[in-house]
């Protein structure tokens, strides 16, 4: 679609190329992220921890403190585990750009190796959830039907029935999950970033987490009935009924009522 | 088909025979003679009601299709079908049959989407049609009863939509039913029993889907059909209203004959309405119940909202602060949940009562007992137009309040701030809308007066021998002018004093006083249409610019055509005589 | 200048003034008004004056009807060639093809008919007279006489007992339908069921929907568990019970807990509240880990879990009822008792 658009409107080519590049980066990242994850559970080398500590002192210690114990407003990182770092830094939420109701996702500030090093350092501070393996997050191995049942009970109230996102109080929100990588989905469940609650392995077993990932893998803009209208429910349907339906019908009525020239 | 009257073809003979057969048994000839060439006025806004009618027919057609496959049962079954995220899931038969008719019946999904889109369009068309009738004053005598019929149809439309929305037994509509249960329970004394009445025991029970099914496919559509019949019967009986214009009076109806023009236009419009809805059903997904899952009382999803026509209730519930729940008569007393009753019962009650009773209030205020068949231009009734816009504004604010979570996510705002803003706007918005609309109406009326008195600016500057410059204004021709001066100037009613000449208090004075007060609210601020005398005065005077302010009547200076005048406007007075000549 | 000022507008009026006995005067009568100028000139259409345009319009109408026929044929083809199949893509293609076929079939007819009417049918406006709705005085008098005659014939006016019997029987007979309906429609009408749930002493808390029991040690701080009572699916009406018994379990840092609804109702920072909103009964489920706020997605009532689930925002008034919990010998979380007050939305006799 976007390539077609580029051919039709030459002026927009640079923007589209940029988009394509971003998409490519995202895709590459999706492929690469689990590989780096593999390394984490295996005992990280002292080298990696050291690199991580340097990165931490340079980029994170201003807020989280030199010993990573945080302050009243900033959480301690002792015991959050490598999964939390891989999620927060990998989705660009950390380092935080500005204060706000919650940290926003943005392009990641560090490369794979740096993130792995940071994760290794934080994991060395105290035991916490590790970065999941490829197999743990492979949608093909999950049961989407069970995933849907679990998603409905545990996630849909904030993230919407198919993961399109939703509002929380005071400007916070639960993000759309369609573009989130399986590894990040898993890490978010395991660590409870921002205001999201924690779903540990007793609440949602690793298999159940994978089922949820399998369910989300089926979701997106595609709907059997046509354009998905953002999967936002009756409000967007009502808006479209007025804009498209009543718009076309009133236009037709005006045509019928107008005198032929 | 080239036929001549002299030699009837086989087809014509057959038609004549059929007609003869029918007429001998029904006397249908009289009806054909009466109705075939009945005149209907032409205007696009008269087709809004037809959208409602035709989308209802679309609902009937697609609805019959759906009933062939839908099973209104709450028995539990396990899903076995093509949808991967549902394999083996326990669900009610109603939900399973909805999935089956969507995924396994060829054309079933199309029919379901057509049915739902048609329902949204049906309600939207009813509301727009009602707005047209309201703003043009088409509800005035003799059509008050038909307004009430239309109002009941609006309520029945809501009932039809609500009962149908819940049938698939999914999580979204199930939570809607749960909210209904909560609202019903808040009703004093009877609440709990009404809840049992609806659900056949405790929520959700086993009866609600079959019950709603009967309501949805028999009771409500039967009533709607009957009332549509009555509604259209009234239209034929009263003959359609028409917009003001040259040649259109209160005693005639101007337009095109039913056969063939309206058979083609209105008949064709049915296909257009159905076609547009089919287009929506083909391309746009609606109510994907497989996303929400089968009903279970525990889950809920973000964006839990009803269809648009119920959204104002949702908004009203969201805006209400919770402090207003009281326990009456001591700590173990009776619970009165005004935090639910006010937004869910009182607010819609007020909105709908105002709407239903408006024609009667207006006719009381004006004391107007005449029949009206020529429509008002909305600007000529500033109070009514302002009131209508205020009511719509309140409705719209409630709809937005019902969507506040989506506003919050899409515009990156705080849910709580939005709610607070709407709490104030619900009171300020309608008031501001009323004032602004009324001022705009009065302004447009002034513009009309201005145009009638001065004519169109031509851009031509003329210099007189005396050195005076004037711009030549082209007066309106009689048809242009008529549109702007045809309406009645309604003034507040005047009543007889409370006491007669002997100082005896008159009976009925209080009612009259009330009527006068109301009438003043309606008509105190007004601009009156230009009278011939004013026009003549403006032509004979250079001073006409002073005319046209509020409530100011033209000085009764009827100067003859030949009276000596100053100013240049006499240059084009031929048009005037021309126009007048048409009528005499 | 204007002598016939009442032309048109008030022709229907004289009859109606008979009814206006009030001391009212219309404000708008008897002022001089412009006269209705009568019909404007008829403007011919291009298809009226140019034979070529006329022919073209006819061809367009034919083309539109043809599109409709093609649409129907397309629909039939799609019906046989494109069944919904097993995948989202095939379902969408089937729906799209059928829908477009139907839309073209319908729009073709509609646009053709309207275009025909607009460009080819006679467009001279015609006028028809209106008549006042009110029937004439004579008709009214005859109608009244007819009713009087009928009443006379039945002699109902003089037979009071008969009248009473008629009215009573008509008024009473609907009871034969209403009584069983009202008697049966609400099942047993025992509305006190609202006040009890299936929670009881030592009933295990289990995870919704899997039914796994929960060990207190398995609940980490900041986590939330959606809970159903053990044995829910074995009950007679599981959905009815679930609608009342669902509970939300949260573990807080015990230092964060400001208040509870009952002494000793929590266990080591683990608190359990009814998930059914006290406003109108939606499941309250959006838990914010850091603020400890619980938000209802339906009407946005917000409850502070750390402060006895008190309402901090929105249309609810009462806190969510707390379920007293403890652990059994094996460390599983169990209820101490049922809720101490009715859960869910308020109702009139809630506290009786």
């Amino acid at each position: 679609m976007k390539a077609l658009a580029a051919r039709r409107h030459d002026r927009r080519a640079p923007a589209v190329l940029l988009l394509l590049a971003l998409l490519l980066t995202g895709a590459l990242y999706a492929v690469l992220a689990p590989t780096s994850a593999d390394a984490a559970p295996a005992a990280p080398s002292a080298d990696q921890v050291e690199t991580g500590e340097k990165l931490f002192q340079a980029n994170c210690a201003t807020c989280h403190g030199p010993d990573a114990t945080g302050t009243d407003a900033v959480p301690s990182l002792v015991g959050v585990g490598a999964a939390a770092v891989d999620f927060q830094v990998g989705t660009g939420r950390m380092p935080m750009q500005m204060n706000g109701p919650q940290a926003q996702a943005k392009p990641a500030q560090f490369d794979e190796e740096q993130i792995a090093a940071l994760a290794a350092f934080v994991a060395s501070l105290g035991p916490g959830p590790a970065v999941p393996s490829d197999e743990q997050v492979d949608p093909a191995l999950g049961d989407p039907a069970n995933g849907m049942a679990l998603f409905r009970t545990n996630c849909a109230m904030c993230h919407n029935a198919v993961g399109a996102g939703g509002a929380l109080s005071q400007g916070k929100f639960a993000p759309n999950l369609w573009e989130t990588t399986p590894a990040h989905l898993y890490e978010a469940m395991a660590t409870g970033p921002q205001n999201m609650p924690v779903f540990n392995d007793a609440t949602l077993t690793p298999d159940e987490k994978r089922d949820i990932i399998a369910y989300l893998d089926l979701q997106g803009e595609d709907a059997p009935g046509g354009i998905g209208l953002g999967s936002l429910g009756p409000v967007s349907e009502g808006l479209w009924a007025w804009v498209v339906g009543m718009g076309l019908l009133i236009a037709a009525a005006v045509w019928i009522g107008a005198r032929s020239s | 088909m080239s036929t001549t009257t002299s030699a009837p073809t086989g087809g014509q003979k057959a038609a004549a025979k059929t007609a003869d057969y029918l007429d001998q048994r029904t006397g249908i000839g009289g009806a054909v003679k009466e109705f075939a060439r009945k005149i209907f006025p032409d205007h696009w806004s008269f087709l809004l009601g037809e959208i409602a009618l035709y989308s209802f027919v679309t609902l009937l057609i697609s609805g019959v299709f759906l009933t062939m496959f839908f099973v209104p049962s709450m028995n539990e079954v396990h899903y076995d079908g093509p949808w991967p995220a549902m394999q083996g899931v326990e669900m009610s038969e109603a939900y399973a049959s909805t999935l089956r008719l969507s995924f396994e019946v060829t054309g079933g999904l199309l029919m379901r989407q057509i049915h739902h889109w048609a329902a949204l369009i049906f309600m939207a068309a009813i509301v727009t049609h009602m707005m047209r009738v309201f703003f043009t004053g088409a509800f005035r005598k003799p059509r008050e009863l038909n307004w009430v019929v239309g109002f009941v149809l609006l309520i029945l439309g809501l009932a039809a939509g609500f009962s149908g929305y819940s049938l698939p037994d999914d999580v979204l509509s199930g939570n809607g039913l749960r909210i209904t249960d909560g609202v019903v329970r808040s009703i004093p004394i009877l609440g709990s029993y009404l809840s049992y009445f609806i659900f056949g025991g405790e929520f959700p029970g086993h009866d609600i889907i079959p019950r709603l099914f009967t309501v949805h496919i028999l009771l409500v559509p039967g009533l709607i059909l009957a009332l549509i019949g009555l509604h259209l019967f009234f239209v034929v009986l009263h003959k359609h209203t028409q917009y003001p214009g040259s040649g259109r009076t209160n005693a005639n109806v101007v337009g095109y004959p039913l056969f063939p023009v309206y058979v083609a236009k209105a008949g064709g419009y049915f296909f257009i309405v159905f076609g547009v809805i089919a287009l929506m059903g083909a391309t746009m997904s609606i109510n994907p119940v497989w996303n929400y899952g089968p009903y279970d009382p525990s889950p809920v999803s973000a964006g839990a909202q009803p269809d648009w026509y119920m959204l104002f209730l949702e908004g009203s519930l969201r805006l209400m602060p919770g402090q207003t729940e009281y326990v009456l008569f001591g700590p173990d007393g009776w619970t009165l949940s005004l935090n639910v009753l006010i937004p869910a019962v009182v607010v819609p009650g007020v909105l709908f009562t105002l709407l239903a009773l408006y024609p009667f209030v207006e006719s009381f205020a004006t004391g107007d007992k005449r029949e009206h068949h020529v429509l008002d231009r909305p600007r000529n009734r500033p109070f009514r137009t302002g009131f209508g816009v205020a009511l719509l504004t309140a409705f719209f604010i409630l709809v937005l309040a019902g969507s506040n979570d989506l506003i919050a996510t899409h515009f990156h705002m705080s849910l709580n701030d939005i709610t607070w803003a709407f709490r104030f706007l619900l009171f300020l918005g309608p008031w501001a809308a009323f004032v602004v609309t009324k001022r705009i109406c009065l302004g447009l009326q002034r513009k009309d007066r201005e145009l009638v008195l001065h004519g169109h600016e031509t851009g031509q500057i003329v210099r007189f021998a005396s050195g005076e410059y004037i711009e030549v204004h082209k007066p309106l021709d009689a048809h242009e002018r008529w549109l702007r001066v045809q309406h009645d100037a309604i003034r507040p009613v005047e009543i007889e004093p409370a006491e007669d000449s002997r100082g005896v208090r008159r009976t009925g004075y209080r009612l009259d006083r009330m009527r006068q007060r109301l009438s003043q609210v309606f008509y105190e601020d007004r601009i009156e249409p230009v009278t011939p005398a004013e026009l003549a005065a403006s032509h004979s005077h250079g001073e006409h610019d002073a005319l046209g302010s509020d409530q100011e009547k033209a000085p009764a200076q009827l100067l003859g055509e030949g009276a000596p005048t100053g100013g240049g406007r006499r240059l084009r007075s031929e048009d005037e005589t021309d126009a007048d000549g048409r009528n005499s | 200048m204007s002598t016939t000022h009442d032309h048109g507008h008030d022709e229907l009026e004289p009859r109606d003034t008979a009814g206006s006995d009030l001391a009212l005067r219309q404000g708008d009568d008897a002022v001089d008004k412009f006269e209705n100028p009568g019909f404007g000139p008829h403007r011919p259409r291009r298809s009226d004056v140019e034979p070529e345009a006329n022919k073209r319009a006819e061809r367009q109408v034919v083309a539109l009807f043809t599109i409709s026929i093609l649409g129907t044929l397309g629909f039939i083809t799609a019906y046989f060639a494109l069944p919904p199949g097993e995948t989202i893509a095939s379902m969408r293609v089937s729906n799209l093809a059928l829908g477009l076929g139907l839309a073209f079939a319908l729009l073709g007819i509609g646009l053709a008919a309207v275009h025909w009417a607009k460009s080819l049918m006679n467009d001279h406006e015609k006028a028809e007279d209106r008549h006042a709705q009110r029937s004439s005085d004579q008709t009214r008098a005859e109608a009244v006489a007819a009713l009087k005659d009928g009443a006379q014939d039945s002699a109902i006016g003089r037979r009071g007992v008969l009248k009473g019997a008629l009215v009573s029987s008509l008024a009473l007979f609907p009871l034969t339908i209403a009584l069983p309906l009202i008697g049966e429609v609400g099942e047993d009408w025992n509305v006190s069921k609202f006040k009890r749930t299936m929670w009881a002493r030592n009933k295990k808390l289990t995870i919704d929907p899997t039914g796994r029991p929960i060990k207190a040690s398995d609940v980490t701080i900041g986590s939330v568990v959606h809970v159903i009572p053990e044995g829910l699916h074995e009950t007679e009406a599981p959905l009815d019970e679930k609608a009342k018994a669902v509970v939300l379990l949260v573990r807080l840092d015990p230092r964060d807990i400001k208040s509870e609804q009952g002494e000793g109702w929590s266990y080591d920072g683990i608190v359990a509240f009814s998930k059914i909103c006290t406003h109108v009964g939606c499941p309250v489920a959006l838990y914010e880990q850091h603020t400890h706020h619980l938000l209802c997605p339906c009407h946005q009532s917000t409850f502070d879990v750390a402060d006895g689930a008190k309402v901090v925002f929105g249309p609810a008034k009462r806190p969510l009822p707390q379920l007293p919990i403890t652990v059994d010998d094996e460390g599983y979380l169990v209820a101490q008792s049922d809720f101490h007050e009715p859960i869910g939305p308020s109702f009139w006799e809630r506290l009786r």
Side-chain angles (χ1 to χ4, degrees):
Chain A
M1 278 268 286
K2 276 167 183 137
L4 282 175
R7 229 172 287 147
R8 280 205 303 271
H9 310 282
D10 286 342
R11 279 182 301 119
R12 294 201 211 147
V16 173
L17 277 175
L18 186 67
L19 258 175
L20 274 175
L22 283 173
L23 278 176
L24 197 68
T25 324
L28 267 176
Y29 180 66
V31 177
L32 292 175
T35 9
S36 75
D38 266 356
S45 65
D47 233 18
Q48 211 176 8
V49 174
E50 202 180 316
T51 322
E53 179 163 16
K54 277 186 193 139
L55 279 168
F56 181 87
Q57 297 302 345
N59 296 287
C60 319
T62 346
C63 302
H64 289 284
D67 50 358
T69 48
T71 63
D72 284 347
V74 184
S76 161
L77 301 183
V78 179
V80 299
V85 178
D86 191 55
F87 176 84
Q88 300 279 5
V89 183
T91 60
R93 285 180 167 81
M94 291 290 150
M96 226 167 139
Q97 205 161 38
M98 55 178 159
N99 277 320
Q102 71 189 44
Q104 308 267 355
K106 57 182 182 294
Q109 308 289 300
F110 299 99
D111 63 25
E112 294 312 313
E113 258 173 62
Q114 291 171 314
I115 294 172
L118 268 173
F121 166 68
V122 171
S124 72
L125 298 173
V131 174
S133 71
D134 271 357
E135 203 192 317
Q136 276 178 303
V137 300
D138 186 354
L141 300 176
D143 169 11
N146 189 41
M148 177 174 190
L150 295 163
F151 190 85
R152 280 200 302 150
T153 308
N154 293 290
C155 324
M157 64 291 262
C158 301
H159 288 284
N160 154 308
V162 290
L168 299 173
S169 67
Q170 308 287 2
K172 298 186 285 289
F173 64 94
N176 182 305
L177 304 176
W178 295 341
E179 304 300 323
T180 313
T181 63
H184 286 159
L185 288 173
Y186 190 101
E187 289 158 0
M189 288 186 262
T191 62
Q194 320 274 340
N195 262 298
M196 178 167 161
V198 180
F199 297 91
N200 63 21
D201 286 354
T203 320
L204 286 176
T205 63
D207 280 354
E208 289 174 340
K209 289 193 177 82
R210 187 166 58 193
D211 292 345
I212 289 176
I213 290 169
Y215 170 67
L216 282 172
D217 188 54
L218 295 175
Q219 306 308 321
E221 256 309 306
D222 288 355
I227 307 164
L229 311 181
S231 298
L232 295 173
V235 172
S236 79
E237 289 160 6
L239 185 68
W240 286 94
W242 275 94
V243 172
V244 176
M246 287 306 281
L248 283 174
L249 290 174
I250 290 177
V254 170
W255 172 64
I256 295 172
R259 267 185 55 89
S260 185
S261 62
Chain B
M1 268 240 298
S2 61
T3 54
T4 57
T5 42
S6 51
T9 62
Q12 280 173 330
K13 270 189 225 153
K17 267 191 164 171
T18 315
D20 177 56
Y21 182 91
L22 279 178
D23 190 52
Q24 291 211 30
R25 283 155 186 83
T26 61
I28 200 170
V32 171
K33 174 181 152 251
E34 176 75 22
F35 294 113
R37 299 288 278 177
K38 213 169 160 50
I39 298 298
F40 282 94
D42 209 26
H43 194 271
W44 69 266
S45 69
F46 297 159
L47 294 175
L48 294 171
E50 287 188 25
I51 303 180
L53 176 65
Y54 298 148
S55 50
F56 183 68
V57 176
T58 307
L59 282 167
L60 290 182
I61 294 171
S62 52
V64 168
F65 184 98
L66 296 179
T67 54
M68 302 288 146
F69 304 98
F70 179 71
V71 183
S73 156
M74 296 173 89
N75 291 337
E76 296 290 323
V77 294
H78 289 269
Y79 182 74
D80 178 28
W83 196 252
M86 287 290 165
Q87 287 310 323
V89 172
E90 193 177 347
M91 56 182 65
S92 68
E93 265 189 285
Y95 187 80
S97 63
T98 308
L99 293 187
R100 192 176 92 77
L101 78 86
S102 301
F103 296 144
E104 294 166 61
V105 175
T106 307
L109 180 58
L110 179 67
M111 281 297 165
R112 228 192 108 232
Q113 301 207 124
I114 285 178
H115 195 72
H116 206 126
W117 283 120
L120 298 192
I121 298 283
F122 178 55
M123 293 311 298
I126 289 182
V127 171
T128 19
H129 172 58
M130 205 164 187
M131 274 153 62
R132 196 280 294 169
V133 169
F134 182 89
F135 287 118
T136 59
F139 53 75
R140 291 172 298 171
K141 188 180 170 184
R143 295 182 179 78
E144 303 100 319
L145 293 180
N146 215 13
W147 168 269
V148 175
V149 172
F151 172 78
V152 176
L153 279 169
L154 168 75
I155 303 294
L156 286 172
L158 291 175
F162 178 78
S163 55
Y165 174 76
S166 306
L167 285 181
D169 201 22
D170 56 306
V171 166
L172 186 64
S173 69
N175 277 312
L177 281 178
R178 176 131 219 189
I179 293 170
T180 312
D181 176 55
V183 169
V184 166
R185 281 202 216 178
S186 74
I187 296 168
I189 304 170
L190 291 177
S192 307
Y193 296 95
L194 280 174
S195 166
Y196 265 52
F197 179 87
I198 293 169
F199 294 95
E202 276 193 287
F203 175 88
H206 270 89
D207 298 328
I208 185 68
I209 297 292
R211 285 181 186 180
L212 285 176
F213 185 67
T214 308
V215 168
H216 183 70
I217 71 152
L218 177 72
L219 197 58
V220 174
L223 287 171
I224 290 180
L225 264 180
L227 285 181
I228 285 180
L230 186 61
H231 204 60
L232 295 179
F233 168 75
F234 272 130
V235 172
V236 172
L237 183 73
H238 295 141
K239 296 193 171 82
H240 208 287
T241 51
Q242 56 193 348
Y243 279 98
S246 306
R248 284 143 208 251
T249 72
N250 219 21
N252 72 6
V253 51
V254 180
Y256 299 110
L258 179 65
F259 181 74
V261 176
Y262 276 97
V263 169
K265 278 193 174 183
Y269 198 44
F270 163 71
F271 288 97
I272 293 176
V273 172
F274 197 171
V276 166
I277 294 171
L279 203 59
M280 296 174 81
T283 54
M284 288 150 65
S285 170
I286 188 165
N287 198 22
V289 287
W290 42 92
N291 283 352
Y292 307 128
Y295 183 64
D296 172 340
S298 174
V300 63
S301 65
Q305 275 126 339
D307 275 346
W308 78 264
Y309 45 83
M310 296 298 246
L311 209 48
F312 77 103
L313 269 180
E314 176 85 0
S316 166
L317 280 165
R318 286 181 181 191
L319 289 192
M320 186 73 194
Q323 285 79 9
T324 44
E325 182 180 314
Y326 302 105
V327 177
L328 309 177
F329 311 120
D332 290 336
W334 310 100
T335 310
L336 181 66
S337 316
L338 289 181
N339 57 337
V340 181
L341 278 175
I342 290 175
V345 181
V346 177
V347 167
V350 167
L351 277 176
F352 283 137
T353 310
L354 282 175
L355 206 57
L357 295 184
Y358 184 84
F360 306 99
V361 175
E362 189 182 287
S363 95
F364 176 74
T366 51
D368 186 355
K369 296 227 164 14
R370 295 172 304 164
E371 287 189 12
H372 293 277
H373 302 290
V374 176
L375 296 172
D376 287 324
R377 300 172 83 208
R379 67 181 65 177
N380 289 336
R381 297 288 175 262
F383 177 86
R384 182 203 292 153
T385 307
F387 181 81
V389 173
L391 218 55
L392 278 179
T393 308
F395 181 82
F396 190 62
I397 288 170
L398 289 177
V399 166
L400 287 180
S403 326
N404 59 0
D405 49 340
L406 291 171
I407 298 175
T409 45
H410 282 72
F411 298 95
H412 303 289
M413 290 155 81
S414 156
L415 197 63
N416 309 58
D417 295 348
I418 298 173
T419 303
W420 271 107
F422 283 141
R423 280 175 180 170
F424 287 106
L425 267 179
L426 182 60
F427 295 96
L428 298 178
W431 174 79
F434 173 77
V435 171
V436 169
T437 310
K438 197 170 151 189
R439 291 332 296 184
I440 290 175
C441 286
L442 292 170
L444 286 171
Q445 278 185 278
R446 274 198 200 95
K447 203 172 140 228
D448 280 352
R449 272 187 70 90
E450 203 50 32
L451 204 60
V452 170
L453 288 172
H454 298 174
H456 299 291
E457 293 177 1
T458 60
Q460 275 176 278
I461 308 290
V462 173
R463 185 187 160 193
F464 286 91
S466 61
E468 182 194 2
Y469 287 94
I470 62 141
E471 185 188 358
V472 179
H473 283 228
K474 184 174 163 292
L476 274 55
D477 73 30
H479 302 290
E480 281 181 290
R481 190 207 303 133
W482 173 245
L483 185 66
R484 292 167 177 83
V485 298
Q486 46 78 32
H487 57 287
D488 293 330
I490 305 185
R491 298 172 197 168
V493 292
E494 292 163 33
I495 58 173
E496 287 183 358
E499 291 166 359
D500 64 15
S501 53
R502 283 165 297 163
V504 181
R505 205 170 164 83
R506 182 164 72 79
T507 53
Y509 172 74
R510 291 187 121 190
L511 188 69
D512 280 2
R513 181 79 190 108
M514 207 169 97
R515 184 194 302 264
Q516 188 187 35
R517 290 225 178 96
L518 195 62
S519 179
Q520 278 163 354
V521 172
F522 271 64
Y523 299 117
E524 195 74 78
D525 294 331
R526 67 184 181 280
I527 311 282
E528 300 199 341
V530 178
T531 62
E534 284 174 317
L535 187 64
S538 93
H539 284 195
S540 56
H541 251 239
E543 305 285 306
H544 53 267
D545 285 333
L547 295 174
S549 56
D550 275 25
Q551 303 168 48
E552 196 180 335
K553 290 294 295 169
Q557 317 168 288
L558 270 165
L559 300 176
E561 281 290 304
T565 56
R569 273 87 181 175
R570 296 272 289 121
L571 287 170
R572 321 118 346 226
S573 65
E574 306 84 54
D575 284 12
E576 293 307 313
T577 19
D578 209 27
D580 290 336
R582 277 173 209 271
N583 297 308
S584 39
Chain C
M1 197 189 245
S2 62
T3 45
T4 58
H5 63 85
D6 265 345
H7 172 84
H9 258 268
D10 296 330
E11 279 188 2
L12 296 177
E13 198 207 359
R15 283 187 152 160
D16 291 333
T17 44
S20 60
D21 50 352
L22 284 145
L24 296 166
R25 282 192 303 270
Q26 269 306 124
D28 55 33
D29 290 338
V31 291
D32 65 335
K33 285 200 66 175
F34 283 96
E35 297 161 23
N36 194 321
F39 297 117
H42 177 255
R43 205 160 37 81
R45 297 166 296 188
R46 283 183 68 188
S47 53
D48 294 332
V49 288
E50 297 173 26
E52 192 41 50
N54 193 301
K55 264 269 164 270
R56 189 167 54 232
E58 189 184 335
R59 278 200 302 274
Q60 285 163 344
V61 173
V62 172
L64 285 167
F65 278 125
T66 313
I67 287 177
S68 165
I69 295 169
L70 293 176
T72 306
L73 293 177
F75 183 96
I76 295 170
T77 316
Y79 176 78
F80 290 109
L82 297 168
E86 303 268 309
T87 65
I88 292 185
S90 64
M91 287 168 187
R92 195 170 42 201
V93 167
S94 170
N95 185 61
L96 184 69
L98 290 169
L100 287 182
L102 178 60
F104 278 113
L106 295 163
L107 288 172
I109 298 176
L111 297 176
V114 173
H115 191 41
W116 184 356
K118 277 176 54 124
S119 55
L120 296 174
M121 289 182 189
N122 183 345
D123 80 329
H124 284 265
E125 285 193 314
K126 296 179 172 49
E128 202 175 76
D129 284 342
R130 288 181 194 274
H131 308 283
Q133 294 302 327
R134 182 189 189 275
S135 43
S136 69
D137 287 340
Q138 195 196 345
T139 313
R140 281 188 175 191
E142 283 166 12
V144 170
L147 289 178
K148 273 189 181 150
D149 289 351
Q152 194 102 44
D153 288 352
S154 71
I156 192 149
R158 282 177 280 115
R159 292 180 181 149
V161 180
L162 194 152
K163 214 190 319 188
L166 171 72
V167 171
S168 317
S169 61
L170 281 177
L172 284 176
F173 103 90
L175 282 179
T176 58
I177 293 156
L179 184 68
L181 181 67
I182 293 172
E184 301 303 314
V185 79
E187 209 189 27
D188 58 3
W189 291 112
N190 178 9
V191 296
S192 67
K193 283 189 217 160
F194 286 160
K195 297 179 186 171
R196 294 184 303 273
T197 75
M198 65 178 286
W199 286 109
R201 192 173 162 73
N202 287 335
K203 191 163 275 279
K204 277 198 182 104
L205 279 70
T206 64
I207 294 178
D208 179 29
T210 51
R212 278 202 305 274
I214 307 161
K215 271 209 162 107
S217 53
D218 283 345
V219 186
T220 40
I221 289 180
S223 64
V224 53
V225 189
H226 300 265
V227 167
I228 47 177
E230 185 185 28
L232 174 75
H233 295 291
E234 283 76 57
T235 54
E236 210 171 295
L239 283 189
D240 293 10
E241 292 300 342
K242 191 174 183 182
K244 292 188 291 186
V246 278
V247 157
L248 197 90
L249 187 85
V250 172
R251 183 163 206 165
L252 310 166
D253 186 333
R255 286 167 298 178
D256 285 342
I257 296 183
K258 281 182 253 169
S259 76
E260 282 189 75
Q261 291 176 14
E263 196 65 43
W265 283 10
S266 67
Y267 177 80
D268 198 18
I270 303 177
V271 287
F273 290 98
S274 164
K275 198 174 156 184
I276 305 305
C277 190
T278 56
H279 176 223
V280 284
C282 270
V284 191
L286 283 72
Y287 179 63
E288 298 176 4
Q289 193 205 136
H290 289 295
T291 58
H292 312 304
H293 286 175
L294 200 53
L295 175 72
C296 175
C298 292
H299 307 104
Q300 289 129 16
S301 295
T302 312
F303 304 87
D304 188 351
V305 169
D307 195 10
K310 286 197 184 105
V311 178
V312 290
F313 186 80
K317 165 140 184 193
R318 289 179 293 108
L320 296 166
Q322 185 169 2
L323 182 72
I325 54 167
T326 183
V327 289
D328 65 7
D329 304 339
E330 299 161 70
Y332 288 110
L333 287 166
V334 295
Q336 292 181 22
S337 67
D338 195 358
F339 291 101
H340 286 229
E341 58 175 312
I343 61 97
S346 297
F347 48 97
W348 181 248
E349 61 277 13
R350 198 179 88 85
L351 298 175
R352 304 296 293 184

